[in-house]
Amino acid sequence: MTIKDLPLLAKTVIDGFMNGFNKSTVKGPGLEFSQYRSYQPGDDLRQLDWRMFARSDRYYIRESEIETSISVKLLVDASASMNHDDNGVRKIDYARFLAASLAYLANAQGDSVGLNVFKNGELFSLSSKADPQHLQRLFYHLRQMEPDGKFTRLVHYKELFAGAGRKELLIFITDMYQDDGEIYDLLNSLAALRHEIIVFHLMGKNELVFDYKGYSTLEDLETGESIQVNTQMAKQAYKERLQQHLATIKTTLLGKHITYRMISIAQPLDEALREFLIQRNKGS
């Protein structure tokens, strides 16, 4: 599929993601899903799901359903480093498809969805709404998104993301590449607002395993600086430093009560979403 097919791709991803669940359904807002279990004597009859009974001729109790809708805000890092390519897949394209799929899922649950794109010192913002026409506008802006410049450093994050006194879920899709702590500054400001925050950290498989054969020239996509390295000699030291780097990021974010998930852009998107939401539902 191409970028033009973004709505269809989002639907395909979510359909594939849903097919991975057994007797489960996406029900509540904020990308939660409810599990079903068999009826037991003494259960509250108000929790019986009659649609499940009509389909299966068995009684099921619906668990963990949440009735109130929330505002889901997608924050996408579109700085130049998101142009990183791994076997023909760019981080920005994976981020585009991930954001579209999450928007499609949230909209299907009746949640309002908004979009914020950070790049080249600027911030594009599309307010949160729940109607189908708004979802198409969001898809349009995702299609137009291309990486450029450095990550945006702003001073009024709290005012921009304070919300209107309603619960919000902020989903940040990024490669966590920062020149001087600007991404941590953003997350510190957001964490102070007490909204729920999820960070999807995108990594290329070639970054994770340092899959660059022989001598290579590595270029910083945001500064343009380059260095020549013997990748075979540097591989072990790189992998050790990478593990330390990823552990530091995870510990730092968890310390701020921010949910963190690293995703390889080589992983199928529906599989990545399914693994994350199962983990999220378990509360781990």
Side-chain angles (χ1 to χ4, degrees):
M1 293 187 186
T2 66
I3 292 175
K4 293 188 299 183
D5 302 314
L6 199 57
L8 178 60
L9 184 141
K11 183 179 186 303
T12 302
V13 167
I14 295 304
D15 287 346
F17 147 74
M18 286 302 301
N19 287 336
F21 290 118
N22 181 31
K23 296 186 179 68
S24 301
T25 182
V26 174
K27 296 293 289 184
L31 313 182
E32 300 286 358
F33 62 91
S34 293
Q35 293 288 344
Y36 288 90
R37 62 174 175 81
S38 297
Y39 171 78
Q40 302 291 330
D43 283 335
D44 187 346
L45 294 178
R46 291 174 297 179
Q47 297 301 313
L48 279 176
D49 191 290
W50 297 107
R51 287 177 296 181
M52 287 290 288
F53 172 74
R55 289 198 296 265
S56 64
D57 201 32
R58 296 181 62 184
Y59 293 109
Y60 287 100
I61 294 293
R62 185 173 56 245
E63 294 184 321
S64 305
E65 183 170 355
I66 307 171
E67 296 294 346
T68 56
S69 64
I70 66 171
S71 173
V72 177
K73 289 186 176 178
L74 301 168
L75 286 65
V76 182
D77 176 356
S79 58
S81 60
M82 293 289 284
N83 208 33
H84 178 92
D85 185 289
D86 181 14
N87 197 28
V89 178
R90 297 185 304 160
K91 288 182 180 178
I92 192 65
D93 292 324
Y94 199 96
R96 192 192 325 273
F97 300 147
L98 175 57
S101 300
L102 292 170
Y104 181 91
L105 176 57
N107 184 262
Q109 297 179 109
D111 296 328
S112 60
V113 190
L115 174 66
N116 297 271
V117 180
F118 300 79
K119 75 171 192 176
N120 199 26
E122 299 177 350
L123 173 64
F124 168 80
S125 184
L126 182 68
S127 61
S128 299
K129 293 182 181 179
D131 62 89
Q133 291 80 11
H134 179 76
L135 182 63
Q136 295 306 313
R137 286 192 292 273
L138 189 146
F139 286 154
Y140 169 79
H141 289 292
L142 285 176
R143 283 194 292 266
Q144 304 304 309
M145 185 174 63
E146 283 297 327
D148 185 31
K150 295 185 178 183
F151 187 83
T152 303
R153 181 188 291 277
L154 296 177
V155 295
H156 301 299
Y157 284 134
K158 287 186 179 181
E159 289 80 0
L160 288 170
F161 296 101
R166 63 184 300 194
K167 182 180 178 182
E168 293 192 342
L169 173 62
L170 308 180
I171 302 176
F172 183 35
I173 305 171
T174 177
D175 62 357
M176 289 300 296
Y177 182 91
Q178 50 190 329
D179 185 48
D180 188 28
E182 55 271 18
I183 288 181
Y184 282 146
D185 288 345
L186 166 65
L187 293 174
N188 286 337
S189 295
L190 298 182
L193 297 173
R194 301 189 182 279
H195 295 311
E196 183 175 3
I197 306 170
I198 298 171
V199 172
F200 286 115
H201 180 188
L202 304 187
M203 295 282 292
K205 184 179 179 180
N206 50 11
E207 292 180 289
L208 293 170
V209 301
F210 205 56
D211 185 17
Y212 307 98
K213 304 188 185 303
Y215 284 89
S216 294
T217 299
L218 304 183
E219 180 183 352
D220 186 315
L221 293 173
E222 296 196 3
T223 66
E225 297 178 6
S226 62
I227 58 171
Q228 191 173 49
V229 297
N230 183 322
T231 54
Q232 295 304 311
M233 294 178 61
K235 190 168 188 174
Q236 186 57 40
Y238 170 86
K239 293 176 83 170
E240 291 175 1
R241 291 281 299 273
L242 176 63
Q243 291 307 311
Q244 294 171 4
H245 174 66
L246 295 178
T248 298
I249 292 175
K250 183 174 183 178
T251 300
T252 300
L253 298 191
L254 292 180
K256 303 178 190 301
H257 305 289
I258 294 173
T259 301
Y260 170 80
R261 183 77 173 186
M262 193 275 288
I263 297 177
S264 167
I265 61 175
Q267 185 178 21
L269 191 48
D270 60 335
E271 178 183 297
L273 275 175
R274 185 158 55 246
E275 289 181 1
F276 169 72
L277 289 176
I278 288 174
Q279 180 192 50
R280 175 175 163 83
N281 193 59
K282 291 178 179 177
S284 58

